[in-house]
Amino acid sequence: MNKEERIELAELLFPNINENIEYYENKYPKRNLKEGAMVTRYGPSPTGSVHLGNLFSAFCDMIYAKQSGGIFFLRIEDTDQKRAVEGGIENITGVLKGFNILPNEGYSYGGEYGSYKQSERTLIYQTYIKKLIIDGYAYPCFMTEEELSSIREEQELLKTKIGIYGHYAVDRDLSLAEIKEKLKNNEEYVIRLKSPGDANKQVEIIDCIKGKMKFPEHDIDTVLLKKDKTPTYHFAHVIDDHLMHTTHVIRGDEWVSSIPLHIQLFKVLGFEPVKYAHIAPITIKDKETGTIRKLSKRKDPWAGAKFYEEEGIPIDALHLYLATIANTNFEEWYLNNQDKSISDFTFDFTKQAIGGTSFDESKLNNLCKTYFSRKSGEEVYNETLEYAKKYDLEYAKLLEANKEDMIKFLSIEKDGPRPRKDISKYSEVKEEFSYAIDELFIKEAYKKYDGDKKYDTDLIENYLNILNTNCSNEEWFNDVKEFALSNNYAASPKDYKKEPDKYKGHVGDICEAIRVIVTGRTKSPDLYSILKILGKERIKERINLYKEVVLK
Ligand code: GLU
């Protein structure tokens, strides 16, 4: 076909398209950003609920754009309407908001480069396909499903490359008259790329994460527009990322094999290609088989985004964890820099894991603990209250009623170089600090105590008489030691060990008794701080409770 015929063909196939590509090229001008600013996008398909891998990729989009002074936008890739699920789009926007991964523009955020929903961009794709037809890089293909599957079977049998190329591409060189004839017969068609590639030649790309990669040139006549004249992922990706001026496409490495096709599409369309950063999936060691596999929503609770919210894992702590997956040197940096946060770290694609990163629950837990340890008591209180309002209303009410005390309890051992690391989730606060709220403590009634000792409440009642809640920690402990001695307890475990017959026990035993009676457990944050907050009256009540439920 000569150019005139191709123009006629393009008109025949797309009479509805009146604009030419210049219209869109002008409508979406180059972005006015500083040198080096990255434009990234998160392009989810609304085919299910968001999982950790999706969040991770959106997180990467966000951090690289942010640190370079660029733009991160959200584009809904809903070209595959068959796979779309109800509520899929709301799930995406809701999760992004909930996890504080906030695009600067895009679907539901607005912006100058929309629509940010592919199903609303059909005319744009058709305009560009028209150009490709005119330029001789695309053609209508009328092959039937039966023809296609028999080709596939043959290729599988021969173990050759799968697809429509070479002599399989029978409609590649149809004449205009032949095409007209088929159209007259209402034969269905797709639009295929007329690939100019030669598989004997190589293309080389430099992936920002994986480095230099070489592939044979793409030589398959891939489908660009489906029968319903909507685009395939490949075509929509190239058109959209060109018009939206994406600089870096950060996406899952299941797309690596499509790189030669995408590079070719950029070329035949006359566009400057984007840079690619292909991220490895988050993997996990399967408990049953011991093999490494992708994180699965069906098998692993932490694969789904919702899990983190429900469990009460702080968003910022999850961000810290995602940052450790993003850059291998992040964790060490964070642990060594007490006063710094993620935004102080410079992420670098070359520090990103090339193979799969294994999900590490204990690492996530530790980061959460570090996160909590660096928050003030008041911050932990406020955040826990927010969580409780959503997931445990009863506790939220108790928190509100006991605000002042609760903040004091949550503030114990916060100062100093090694702040306490006890909680890793909001959902743990209730149990971990049950002794802070009388109602909960009474309900718990020493069920948490897992030892078999019965403590001497007379002794502790006597101790209460000498308890001074207005002194330093050191003075307090001296008092306890004195009290110990005057009750035939050694002032230190060492003294006790030396002459065990002389004493009933040692000062530690007395502290243990006090601790169990007032907190219901053998381990707690600094005991004197707890006693001070409770005050004599409540301590007395707890001694009585102990008598009632334990000594009976
Ligand atoms: N819509 C594609 C997906 O959900 C996005 C891939 C990409 O980021 O280009 O897999």
Side-chain angles (χ1 to χ4, degrees):
M1 255 189 268
N2 60 32
K3 181 142 187 194
E4 262 157 46
E5 287 172 319
R6 294 198 301 263
I7 293 175
E8 193 183 334
L9 173 62
E11 279 310 320
L12 201 62
L13 297 177
F14 296 98
N16 57 323
I17 299 298
N18 305 314
E19 305 293 352
N20 52 29
I21 68 160
E22 278 68 38
Y23 171 77
Y24 293 108
E25 296 293 319
N26 293 330
K27 185 172 174 194
Y28 304 114
K30 221 172 135 65
R31 289 169 185 271
N32 195 3
L33 294 169
K34 69 169 199 208
E35 184 71 25
M38 291 186 194
V39 179
T40 62
R41 88 296 190 275
Y42 174 47
S45 300
T47 51
S49 57
V50 175
H51 61 77
L52 189 67
N54 304 131
L55 269 187
F56 176 56
S57 120
F59 175 78
C60 292
D61 287 317
M62 177 177 75
I63 53 177
Y64 285 107
K66 209 172 185 178
Q67 75 179 22
S68 63
I71 297 285
F72 156 45
F73 67 87
L74 168 66
R75 180 173 68 225
I76 301 294
E77 306 209 329
D78 59 344
T79 55
D80 195 349
Q81 295 285 350
K82 271 186 262 136
R83 288 182 56 227
V85 298
E86 220 188 298
I89 297 181
E90 291 71 24
N91 179 261
I92 292 164
T93 51
V95 167
L96 289 183
K97 270 209 189 84
F99 283 88
N100 211 14
I101 297 180
L102 302 177
N104 308 96
E105 68 175 55
Y107 181 81
S108 84
Y109 290 86
E112 305 279 300
Y113 293 84
S115 165
Y116 297 93
K117 191 179 181 195
Q118 288 183 332
S119 58
E120 290 171 359
R121 299 173 62 80
T122 311
L123 292 183
I124 301 179
Y125 305 122
Q126 293 181 356
T127 305
Y128 280 86
I129 208 84
K130 216 169 154 183
K131 172 182 154 56
L132 281 187
I133 292 172
I134 294 170
D135 291 348
Y137 285 124
Y139 67 92
C141 168
F142 298 88
M143 291 167 107
T144 61
E145 293 304 330
E146 292 74 46
E147 284 172 294
L148 290 170
S149 54
S150 89
I151 288 177
R152 197 186 173 91
E153 270 167 35
E154 179 186 320
Q155 290 170 338
E156 274 167 3
L157 216 69
L158 296 172
K159 294 198 170 32
T160 54
K161 188 162 51 187
I162 307 289
I164 300 305
Y165 56 90
H167 72 277
Y168 296 112
V170 288
D171 286 356
R172 207 176 213 246
D173 296 312
L174 290 177
S175 68
L176 181 58
E178 285 167 322
I179 294 176
K180 280 182 176 169
E181 186 59 27
K182 286 177 183 291
L183 291 176
K184 214 165 81 197
N185 295 336
N186 280 329
E187 281 185 43
E188 288 190 315
Y189 63 91
V190 296
I191 305 286
R192 284 185 188 275
L193 167 69
K194 194 169 192 175
S195 173
D198 174 353
N200 296 314
K201 292 190 190 147
Q202 299 239 300
V203 269
E204 187 180 292
I205 78 132
I206 302 195
D207 185 271
C208 298
I209 295 170
K210 295 189 187 288
K212 198 189 275 183
M213 288 196 268
K214 277 188 181 170
F215 305 89
E217 272 184 19
H218 180 83
D219 69 344
I220 297 174
D221 288 357
T222 307
V223 176
L224 301 182
L225 234 53
K226 295 177 273 191
K227 280 185 192 151
D228 63 3
K229 294 194 172 173
T230 64
T232 54
Y233 164 74
H234 310 292
F235 193 56
H237 149 49
V238 172
I239 300 296
D240 289 348
D241 285 317
H242 165 70
L243 288 176
M244 296 176 180
H245 298 276
T246 307
T247 62
H248 291 72
V249 166
I250 303 172
R251 63 182 180 187
D253 66 5
E254 67 271 24
W255 294 108
V256 162
S257 59
S258 303
I259 295 174
L261 164 62
H262 297 163
I263 293 293
Q264 187 167 87
L265 285 174
F266 277 106
K267 203 163 165 189
V268 296
L269 284 156
F271 301 160
E272 194 186 323
V274 292
K275 290 198 172 67
Y276 287 106
H278 285 94
I279 50 183
I282 301 175
T283 56
I284 195 161
K285 193 169 179 175
D286 192 284
K287 281 207 179 83
E288 275 162 36
T289 61
T291 51
I292 305 287
R293 57 164 175 77
K294 272 193 187 184
L295 214 54
S296 134
K297 269 195 278 187
R298 206 165 37 84
K299 295 184 182 160
D300 315 307
W302 36 81
K306 214 64 203 133
F307 169 82
Y308 296 86
E309 200 186 314
E310 288 166 0
E311 278 289 291
I313 289 170
I315 292 160
D316 288 350
L318 183 67
H319 280 208
L320 289 175
Y321 182 60
L322 295 177
T324 66
I325 306 181
N327 271 199
T328 46
N329 55 335
F330 176 82
E331 191 180 6
E332 201 188 331
W333 173 88
Y334 180 69
L335 295 175
N336 289 330
N337 288 279
Q338 280 264 6
D339 51 338
K340 297 269 163 64
S341 65
I342 290 187
S343 52
D344 299 310
F345 183 79
T346 306
F347 289 88
D348 183 344
F349 284 126
T350 62
K351 296 277 182 342
Q352 199 128 351
I354 294 174
T357 311
S358 180
F359 180 80
D360 187 339
E361 200 185 351
S362 66
K363 187 185 274 192
L364 171 62
N365 243 340
N366 280 337
L367 279 164
C368 287
K369 284 191 171 165
T370 308
Y371 166 85
F372 276 108
S373 74
R374 292 184 189 182
K375 289 268 152 186
S376 71
E378 187 163 2
E379 285 167 321
V380 177
Y381 171 85
N382 288 333
E383 292 172 20
T384 307
L385 179 60
E386 280 316 301
Y387 170 79
K389 278 182 180 165
K390 245 176 143 176
Y391 294 103
D392 189 348
L393 252 183
E394 212 175 301
Y395 186 49
K397 283 188 194 136
L398 288 173
L399 281 174
E400 277 172 331
N402 294 275
K403 179 171 177 180
E404 222 173 290
D405 258 18
M406 199 60 204
I407 293 177
K408 283 188 200 156
F409 279 113
L410 291 167
S411 305
I412 301 176
E413 284 175 59
K414 279 285 185 190
D415 306 323
R418 299 185 133 267
R420 216 180 62 243
K421 287 189 175 179
D422 42 11
I423 4 172
S424 63
K425 305 167 185 170
Y426 299 122
S427 55
E428 288 170 359
V429 174
K430 185 179 185 178
E431 253 195 69
E432 196 66 34
F433 287 86
S434 53
Y435 56 84
I437 294 177
D438 291 337
E439 283 93 325
L440 291 181
F441 189 70
I442 293 168
K443 225 193 234 165
E444 192 179 281
Y446 301 99
K447 286 191 210 77
K448 271 261 185 64
Y449 175 69
D450 54 4
D452 50 12
K453 283 192 204 159
K454 295 256 158 83
Y455 297 97
D456 178 355
T457 43
D458 290 344
L459 181 74
I460 305 308
E461 265 167 355
N462 285 340
Y463 165 73
L464 202 54
N465 292 328
I466 64 115
L467 169 64
N468 172 8
T469 50
N470 248 327
C471 59
S472 70
N473 219 310
E474 213 182 341
E475 285 165 333
W476 166 76
F477 195 52
N478 282 335
D479 287 351
V480 186
K481 284 198 265 190
E482 231 168 74
F483 175 79
L485 278 176
S486 59
N487 284 279
N488 293 330
Y489 282 77
S492 74
K494 219 159 107 201
D495 291 352
Y496 174 69
K497 255 197 200 145
K498 260 190 255 162
E499 300 171 277
D501 297 338
K502 191 174 154 191
Y503 301 109
K504 289 193 197 159
H506 60 78
V507 66
D509 298 322
I510 296 186
C511 288
E512 182 182 309
I514 306 172
R515 193 186 306 273
V516 170
I517 290 171
V518 301
T519 69
R521 60 204 81 200
T522 48
K523 284 199 189 80
S524 79
D526 177 55
L527 182 58
Y528 183 45
S529 306
I530 294 177
L531 297 180
K532 271 206 286 199
I533 302 168
L534 286 175
K536 288 200 181 191
E537 210 38 54
R538 285 165 82 191
I539 300 174
K540 178 91 193 94
E541 281 164 21
R542 291 190 182 190
I543 297 174
N544 289 338
L545 181 72
Y546 188 81
K547 281 193 213 162
E548 254 169 57
V549 292
V550 182
L551 303 183
K552 279 191 264 251

